[in-house]
Amino acid sequence: RPAEAQPEEMPLDILHEDEALLVLNKPPGLVVHPASGNEEHTLVNALLHHCRGQLSGNGGVARPGIVHRLDKETGGCLVVAKTDETHLALSSQFASRKVEKIYHAILCGELPREKGEIRAAIARHSSHRKRMAVDEDMGRPARTTYQLLERLNGATLAQAVLHTGRTHQIRVHFQHIGFPLVGDLTYGNRQNQRLAELTNYTAPRQMLHAYHLSFIHPRSGKKMEFSAHRPADFEDALSALKLL
């Protein structure tokens, strides 16, 4: 049985809060919930302090309120459930793909197309257990659509919409078509080395940001839409990679 997370006072960038849920802009570098090697200083620890324990219990003692996750190095919009009823309703919306999730990503290389769609099943990597991979035989269906936002020096700023919610989906899908994320050494080490040689810029992390999130509020029935400003290191990367 996992140890129960303890409240910690930490700053939170809250975009919306009511009696049923809250939406926040998670900073990159913050782990969402306690796990092996990260027992404290997580988002859950901060939420337990901020909400004074008023979080849904559906996620278990280690993940109170957590309906969905973002990678440690990915920042942006995240919705948290305060009640079990809200948690179940939001989970149902995620499962039925009624939640809109839009990301901004900086990609290694210059996308040749203005927009496109990636349909490729994703499974756990056969030999690297912490990685995912495209696997049409063993994988679960995954779909990402994207559009080009800005051409950069040896890179591309793109907007991606997740139509499914597989682990590392955006990272794996863009690697699959040959344009891994800037700063993502797990899925694009070689391309990042080439970009660094071209531009003298090395990203501090994977350049992925959960820019926009929308869903139906479980109590009011109204559509809720939120956008989170991109963090400073993401903007720094764009400045460093601007076309001269």
Side-chain angles (χ1 to χ4, degrees):
R1 182 176 178 276
E4 191 166 343
Q6 299 301 311
E8 291 182 48
E9 186 172 1
M10 298 166 59
L12 292 172
D13 183 2
I14 295 173
L15 305 176
H16 170 84
E17 184 173 12
D18 58 40
E19 71 285 349
L21 55 83
L22 63 87
V23 180
L24 54 91
N25 181 8
K26 183 187 92 67
L30 181 65
V31 175
V32 170
H33 60 74
S36 178
N38 289 290
E39 304 295 342
E40 53 189 8
H41 312 315
T42 73
L43 177 60
V44 160
N45 299 105
L47 289 169
L48 286 169
H49 179 273
H50 176 81
C51 298
R52 307 234 179 334
Q54 298 299 308
L55 292 167
S56 76
N58 292 21
V61 293
R63 305 181 186 182
I66 301 303
V67 182
H68 66 126
R69 290 178 290 175
L70 295 174
D71 289 347
K72 175 184 177 182
E73 300 303 335
T74 301
C77 291
L78 191 80
V79 61
V80 175
K82 288 187 174 182
T83 69
D84 291 353
E85 176 190 26
T86 302
H87 196 132
L88 289 170
L90 289 172
S91 293
S92 176
Q93 289 186 51
F94 274 98
S96 58
R97 302 173 188 174
K98 293 178 181 175
V99 177
E100 185 177 50
K101 296 171 286 183
I102 301 176
Y103 288 74
H104 285 179
I106 308 178
L107 313 176
C108 293
E110 299 169 20
L111 273 178
R113 300 171 60 189
E114 294 291 325
K115 58 184 178 179
E117 178 183 65
I118 309 167
R119 286 181 181 266
I122 294 175
R124 185 130 334 248
H125 196 285
S126 59
S127 56
H128 300 283
R129 301 309 296 166
K130 291 187 177 182
R131 293 178 56 181
M132 309 300 287
V134 168
D135 187 331
E136 296 296 349
D137 295 324
M138 303 294 290
R140 299 172 68 192
R143 176 180 173 232
T144 306
T145 54
Y146 65 86
Q147 68 179 62
L148 187 153
L149 295 181
E150 184 179 357
R151 296 191 183 280
L152 305 167
N153 182 19
T156 304
L157 173 63
Q159 179 167 288
V161 179
L162 280 180
H163 300 276
T164 49
R166 309 300 174 221
T167 301
H168 297 177
Q169 179 173 320
I170 289 177
R171 299 165 66 190
V172 172
H173 269 178
F174 278 118
Q175 178 208 34
H176 179 62
I177 65 170
F179 299 91
L181 269 61
V182 170
D184 190 350
L185 304 186
T186 299
Y187 295 104
N189 187 40
R190 180 169 49 83
Q191 292 92 334
N192 270 281
Q193 288 179 349
R194 188 182 308 140
L195 182 65
E197 292 169 1
L198 173 68
T199 64
N200 289 321
Y201 172 75
T202 301
R205 63 175 178 93
Q206 66 204 27
M207 289 293 116
L208 182 61
H209 177 67
Y211 171 68
H212 184 84
L213 180 71
S214 66
F215 55 87
I216 304 301
H217 196 290
R219 291 193 178 178
S220 69
K222 293 181 179 178
K223 185 176 183 180
M224 309 288 286
E225 296 190 74
F226 302 96
S227 296
H229 62 82
R230 297 187 301 228
D233 62 354
F234 196 104
E235 296 296 343
D236 289 344
L238 290 176
S239 297
L241 297 170
K242 286 278 187 187
L243 285 170
L244 300 177

